[in-house]
Amino acid sequence: MEHITLLLGIVIVTALVFDFTNGFHDTANAMATTISTGALKPKTAVAMSAVLNLVGAFLSVEVAKTISGGLINESGITTEVIFAALVGAILWNLLTWLIGLPSSSSHALFGGLIGATLMSVGASGVNGSVVITKVLLPAIAAPIVAGIAAYLATKLTFKLASKTDEKATAKGYRAGQIASAGLVSLAHGTNDAQKTMGVITLALVTGNVLAPGANPPMWVIVSAGVAIALGTYLGGWRIIRTMGKGLTDLRPPQGFAAQTGAATVILASSHLGFSLSTTQVCSGSVMGAGLGRKGGVVRWSTATRMFVAWGLTLPAAGAVAAAAEFLTGQGTWGVTVVAILLVAGSAAIWALSRRKPVTADDLDETAAAAEPAGVVTTAIAAVTPPPAGVFPSEATYSATGDLKTTLHSPTADPVRPAASV
């Protein structure tokens, strides 16, 4: 570490700041459903998630190698390029956190790296095949696969438990949720902490501290793991509220199914070196679990805002990073200006967040007001067959998508029902 220059040191610190924002931005991935169903108290949940994120950082380096030696060509990339990339990623993370949208920290980082590299050396600096196969395709496939898995798991869970008392089994499902949430946290540390490891390793290669293709040193692994764990412990309550209540209302069996499906997809991708977005995987699982319960509601207005944010993440972070790289390319004064703009922008976003702060106390059962069912949910409800023994004309759905039925006695006045359930 004695060869690390001042600029390289600034880049390493900035990478750890990004890792920190990644932690509190993505806490919702593991713990939103666990908190929303009451399986864990908010502060207990984020403390557990922080510890397991730290542990997960030590389990693999495959994703780190994808970033440090695969996404962009190391030759011709300077330390200033990496600094500019991190600036774009951090500002996008903070902006989406401010508005409570669970966008992808991973794609913010990728967009920053691609945008800064294109500004610096052009298209030759980006490995297009890696971007397609290990970033774009997983971005499309992962939430769909996770959503289908959670949907099927939820259907199976409710079918198996149809003859049991829901209240009697809720405790067991909550215990399963805690275990599956821990698995998601472990998977998140395994996948996302490695992204910062990869960036720092890339910076060390460009600074001639490490040889091209080298694995992350142990101090890089430790520092990245600690940074993401601290960010996780801080808790991104705004995004947790959106994931836990804004997308759908989950019961313990659904939460268990969603988290188990998400953890499986994330761990499998980490083993294969796919640097996918844990946010997109977990969001897809939550929506799949929401649709898997009869009468369940997915609030498509919230989901649509998420989809738009996902689509904007790569180009928006890339554009900011490209502008930052243009300035850093002017020399020391440009690097200084970018650093000042990063601090000022971060401070401004933080100040705006204090106008309407969201804390752990806001995440109780009444915190998030339910939105009415969207057009898609209403359409699905309209064609869902009523339970056996119920006249079709008497099966209706409430504004939240719950099935309400009225049973008529054969001899009762058809205008006035004899019994209601």
Side-chain angles (χ1 to χ4, degrees):
M1 294 177 62
E2 64 273 15
H3 301 294
I4 293 179
T5 63
L6 176 60
L7 177 59
L8 186 54
I10 292 174
V11 171
I12 292 172
V13 171
T14 306
L16 294 176
V17 170
F18 165 77
D19 204 24
F20 181 83
T21 66
N22 190 346
F24 75 74
H25 196 282
D26 290 2
T27 308
N29 296 345
M31 291 301 170
T33 57
T34 305
I35 293 170
S36 69
T37 59
L40 283 175
K41 295 292 184 182
K43 292 184 178 179
T44 303
V46 297
M48 170 183 163
S49 183
V51 172
L52 291 172
N53 265 279
L54 177 60
V55 174
F58 293 89
L59 297 184
S60 173
V61 295
E62 290 302 317
V63 174
K65 289 192 289 186
T66 295
I67 293 174
S68 64
L71 189 65
I72 60 176
N73 296 319
E74 295 169 339
S75 59
I77 299 301
T78 64
T79 308
E80 290 85 351
V81 171
I82 301 173
F83 178 57
L86 290 167
V87 169
I90 290 172
L91 290 177
W92 181 256
N93 262 3
L94 292 176
L95 180 61
T96 50
W97 163 76
L98 176 66
I99 58 180
L101 283 180
S103 69
S104 171
S105 298
S106 307
H107 288 181
L109 179 59
F110 301 152
L113 285 170
I114 293 170
T117 300
L118 289 174
M119 176 59 70
S120 176
V121 299
S124 62
V126 179
N127 291 324
S129 60
V130 174
V131 172
I132 293 173
T133 58
K134 292 200 172 185
V135 176
L136 295 181
L137 290 181
I140 297 171
I144 296 175
V145 171
I148 293 173
Y151 174 85
L152 295 176
T154 301
K155 284 286 189 184
L156 178 62
T157 298
F158 276 106
K159 184 175 182 179
L160 293 176
S162 60
K163 297 182 179 180
T164 61
D165 181 32
E166 185 174 340
K167 292 183 178 179
T169 58
K171 186 175 181 181
Y173 280 120
R174 286 194 174 98
Q177 261 197 287
I178 294 172
S180 60
L183 191 59
V184 173
S185 295
L186 195 69
H188 183 264
T190 303
N191 198 284
D192 278 41
Q194 287 188 58
K195 292 159 188 170
T196 300
M197 295 178 206
V199 170
I200 295 176
T201 302
L202 181 60
L204 294 172
V205 170
T206 62
N208 297 317
V209 177
L210 293 177
N215 286 334
M218 180 55 66
W219 68 266
V220 172
I221 297 174
V222 172
S223 59
V226 170
I228 200 170
L230 288 175
T232 302
Y233 182 70
L234 181 65
W237 306 118
R238 294 171 182 271
I239 300 175
I240 289 176
R241 182 174 62 178
T242 300
M243 285 276 284
K245 287 290 187 181
L247 272 177
T248 186
D249 294 317
L250 295 179
R251 296 177 183 174
Q254 293 169 280
F256 174 70
Q259 290 171 321
T260 302
T264 302
V265 173
I266 295 169
L267 287 172
S269 70
S270 296
H271 178 71
L272 296 173
F274 291 136
S275 189
L276 52 74
S277 165
T278 54
T279 299
Q280 293 180 358
V281 171
C282 293
S283 299
S285 292
V286 168
M287 286 186 279
L291 292 173
R293 175 172 63 87
K294 182 179 290 186
V297 174
V298 170
R299 298 184 180 102
W300 296 105
S301 58
T302 300
T304 300
R305 292 196 296 269
M306 285 173 46
F307 297 152
V308 171
W310 292 357
L312 290 176
T313 297
L314 275 170
V320 174
E325 166 55 21
F326 176 78
L327 288 174
T328 59
Q330 309 306 310
T332 304
W333 72 268
V335 174
T336 304
V337 169
V338 170
I340 293 173
L341 290 175
L342 173 61
V343 173
S346 301
I349 293 173
W350 176 259
L352 289 172
S353 73
R354 294 302 86 195
R355 293 182 178 181
K356 291 184 178 180
V358 178
T359 67
D361 296 332
D362 298 318
L363 300 180
D364 58 22
E365 290 296 322
T366 60
E371 296 179 24
V375 175
V376 177
T377 300
T378 304
I380 292 174
V383 299
T384 301
V390 179
F391 293 102
S393 61
E394 302 298 332
T396 59
Y397 285 83
S398 68
T400 59
D402 294 326
L403 179 65
K404 293 184 176 181
T405 61
T406 303
L407 302 180
H408 286 253
S409 167
T411 59
D413 183 350
V415 177
R416 184 179 61 191
S420 296
V421 294

